[in-house]
Amino acid sequence: MILANAFCLFFFLDETLRSLASPSSPQGPELHGWRPPVDCVRANELCAAESNCSSRYRTLRQCLAGRDRNTMLANKECQAALEVLQESPLYDCRCKRGMKKELQCLQIYWSIHLGLTEGEEFYEASPYEPVTARLSDIFRLASIFSGTGADPAVSTKSNHCLDAAKACNLNDNCKKLRSSYISICNREISPTERCNRRKCHKALRQFFDRVPSEYTYRMLFCSCQDQACAERRRQTILPSCSYEDKEKPNCLDLRSLCRTDHLCRSRLADFHANCRASYQTLTSCPTDNYQACLGSYAGMIGFDITPNYVDSSPTGIVVSPWCSCRGSGNMEEECEKFLKDFTENPCLRNAIQAFGNGTDVNLSPKSPPFQATQAPRVDKTPSLPDDLSDSTSLGTSVISTCTSVQDQGLKANNSKELSMCFTEENWGLP
């Protein structure tokens, strides 16, 4: 009896191992066996190698050409193609930000998912692979440079954003791409056109996509104790060209414009996926992942929807795209909701503060690294600090002007000369 039971058990285990070892067949209606999690370029290649998938994908692309979603779904052939493709590798494919064929990958992704979107969704799923890595090492580095734990008297006198710029200039790639976008974004085209906005945006995208985050994050999210530092932080992306415009467009119009471009649409969807406030987590961020939120925020820089700090307050962190909700009509509530995902977002604010303080959530998992606070009101006219000068590459007139401003304790944002102290002086490479 014992031998019989042992034989049955051996036979059962042998058959189980055989079934696990045998590959799933991609033939027939069940296609799930050949759906590994791949990027959309690879998924497209897999689809092209299978006649049924390939023909249905061609059909769907024809259906999407020049038609809205409702018109497309009214066509039975289009609907059938979409149903088949939901069982193909294309449906679950994703892209990697900065990959070699990123734009091609995103075009393939949206060719499937635009047909599945129920109208214009407020939040769209991100086409990018989830960010699972953390930035503990970079947070520790930020802590060292910010002076956390050091002599408070020394730390408060430091301009951490200036230190970040100097660190960038010690890296050849960072210095080269930073110099490139500064030059392009500061180049006046004509008396009525201060810069080539399109080229400025492209240069900024290259900087944030090609330079390691250990340099770009330090420049963009540096902690500040005074207005000079905060103004340098605000000027990181040269807002007069890349951010500001003559008039603020409606935020929903700006979102709609962004969604006509696959790359901008993808970056915005990724921001919402990784920075949307979650009140079930320690940090108010989805999965408590600061890295994902900061990366998604930086990924939107270089488009018309580029976000930036709204003022030079050192501690009141408020960021926003250059837009307002005026003229929203019956869409005002939706517009305000969209805008508040930037201006009143505890996840984003906590992530920026945490990086500036060098306090990754992983370093202190049992308690929040700091209390999430509402951004305080900004004093519009604080006196200037004494550490504005950071370059020896300027003309003596600019240095003299800035020195005079400091000596007299003049108020911020009151003159063209003072603006030069914050911009031209700051952008002379140390």
Side-chain angles (χ1 to χ4, degrees), residues 342-360:
F342 296 90
T343 60
E344 300 179 21
N345 187 330
C347 165
L348 179 59
R349 185 166 61 250
N350 289 351
I352 294 173
Q353 288 177 332
F355 183 84
N357 296 334
T359 333
D360 190 2

Side-chain angles (χ1 to χ4, degrees), residues 72-89:
M72 185 197 76
L73 292 183
N75 185 300
K76 292 183 179 180
E77 189 176 2
C78 297
Q79 190 173 12
L82 189 59
E83 290 173 358
V84 169
L85 291 173
Q86 288 183 65
E87 300 299 323
S88 79

Side-chain angles (χ1 to χ4, degrees), residues 60 64 69 72-73 79 81-87 90-92 94 109-119 121 124:
L60 182 66
L64 288 171
R69 182 178 184 275
M72 185 197 76
L73 292 183
Q79 190 173 12
L82 189 59
E83 290 173 358
V84 169
L85 291 173
Q86 288 183 65
E87 300 299 323
L90 289 167
Y91 179 69
D92 285 331
R94 291 294 184 271
Y109 173 90
W110 289 113
S111 68
I112 297 294
H113 288 270
L114 284 181
L116 297 172
T117 303
E118 294 287 345
E121 295 292 301
E124 294 182 318

Side-chain angles (χ1 to χ4, degrees), residues 27 34 45 51 56 77 90 110 143 155 181 196 207 213 217 231 251 308 314 332 335 351 391 406:
Q27 300 177 355
W34 64 296
E45 294 171 353
S51 59
R56 297 303 178 117
E77 189 176 2
L90 289 167
W110 289 113
S143 177
S155 179
Y181 85 72
N196 188 319
F207 177 76
S213 54
Y217 285 22
E231 179 61 14
C251 293
N308 194 25
E332 185 171 359
C335 182
S391 172
Q406 295 169 29

Side-chain angles (χ1 to χ4, degrees), residues 47-352:
C47 181
E50 204 276 327
S51 59
N52 188 35
C53 180
S54 179
S55 63
R56 297 303 178 117
Y57 186 48
R58 285 196 301 270
T59 298
L60 182 66
R61 291 177 69 89
Q62 293 171 356
C63 292
L64 288 171
R67 305 188 189 187
D68 60 31
R69 182 178 184 275
N70 292 332
T71 303
M72 185 197 76
L73 292 183
N75 185 300
K76 292 183 179 180
E77 189 176 2
C78 297
Q79 190 173 12
L82 189 59
E83 290 173 358
V84 169
L85 291 173
Q86 288 183 65
E87 300 299 323
S88 79
L90 289 167
Y91 179 69
D92 285 331
C93 74
R94 291 294 184 271
C95 303
K96 294 180 180 178
R97 187 178 151 200
M99 63 185 290
K100 187 175 181 180
K101 298 182 179 179
E102 181 179 358
L103 185 56
Q104 180 185 352
C105 184
L106 294 173
Q107 288 171 338
I108 295 169
Y109 173 90
W110 289 113
S111 68
I112 297 294
H113 288 270
L114 284 181
L116 297 172
T117 303
E118 294 287 345
E120 190 175 77
E121 295 292 301
F122 189 88
Y123 294 119
E124 294 182 318
S126 173
Y128 292 107
E129 293 182 357
V131 176
T132 56
R134 306 276 177 169
L135 280 183
S136 298
D137 290 340
I138 298 181
F139 271 80
R140 292 187 186 100
L141 184 65
S143 177
I144 294 172
F145 284 108
S146 69
T148 303
D151 184 352
V154 174
S155 179
T156 55
K157 291 183 179 180
S158 300
N159 185 327
H160 305 309
C161 296
L162 172 58
D163 295 339
K166 290 179 178 179
C168 175
N169 290 333
L170 294 176
N171 177 274
D172 290 340
N173 187 46
C174 187
K175 180 178 181 179
K176 176 183 175 181
L177 291 174
R178 177 172 176 254
S179 299
S180 176
Y181 85 72
I182 289 174
S183 174
I184 292 171
C185 297
N186 271 329
R187 192 176 300 152
E188 187 175 291
I189 305 301
S190 69
T192 58
E193 191 176 3
R194 55 191 170 190
C195 67
N196 188 319
R197 189 180 178 91
R198 181 183 61 81
K199 289 185 177 180
C200 176
H201 280 168
K202 182 179 179 180
L204 277 169
R205 290 199 302 270
Q206 289 178 338
F207 177 76
F208 284 99
D209 285 347
R210 298 180 184 179
V211 175
S213 54
E214 64 188 274
Y215 298 105
T216 59
Y217 285 22
R218 283 186 60 198
M219 292 175 61
L220 197 58
F221 307 122
C222 41
S223 63
C224 290
Q225 300 295 325
D226 56 57
Q227 188 181 5
C229 174
E231 179 61 14
R232 168 175 275 278
R233 182 174 62 188
R234 193 183 75 87
Q235 291 284 347
T236 296
I237 63 169
L238 280 76
S240 61
C241 182
S242 70
Y243 177 66
E244 299 165 359
D245 211 340
K246 295 177 181 178
E247 295 181 2
K248 286 187 176 182
N250 179 271
C251 293
L252 295 183
D253 290 343
L254 196 63
R255 182 185 68 174
S256 296
L257 179 64
C258 177
R259 286 180 169 181
T260 62
D261 177 88
H262 287 317
L263 190 56
C264 184
R265 184 177 202 142
S266 301
R267 299 294 176 87
L268 178 60
D270 197 55
F271 171 77
H272 282 142
N274 292 311
C275 289
R276 192 182 347 170
S278 170
Y279 298 99
Q280 284 74 46
T281 59
L282 179 70
T283 61
S284 297
C285 288
T287 68
D288 286 320
N289 194 334
Y290 286 145
Q291 148 76 339
C293 181
L294 295 181
S296 297
Y297 176 91
M300 288 194 298
I301 294 175
F303 299 93
D304 287 336
I305 205 165
T306 293
N308 194 25
Y309 300 91
V310 300
D311 52 46
S312 54
S313 167
T315 56
I317 296 177
V318 181
V319 299
S320 173
W322 183 260
C323 66
S324 74
C325 286
R326 290 193 302 271
S328 298
N330 59 1
M331 301 290 288
E332 185 171 359
E333 184 176 348
E334 180 172 346
C335 182
E336 291 290 348
K337 181 182 179 183
F338 173 81
L339 188 56
K340 286 179 180 179
D341 276 338
F342 296 90
T343 60
E344 300 179 21
N345 187 330
C347 165
L348 179 59
R349 185 166 61 250
N350 289 351
I352 294 173

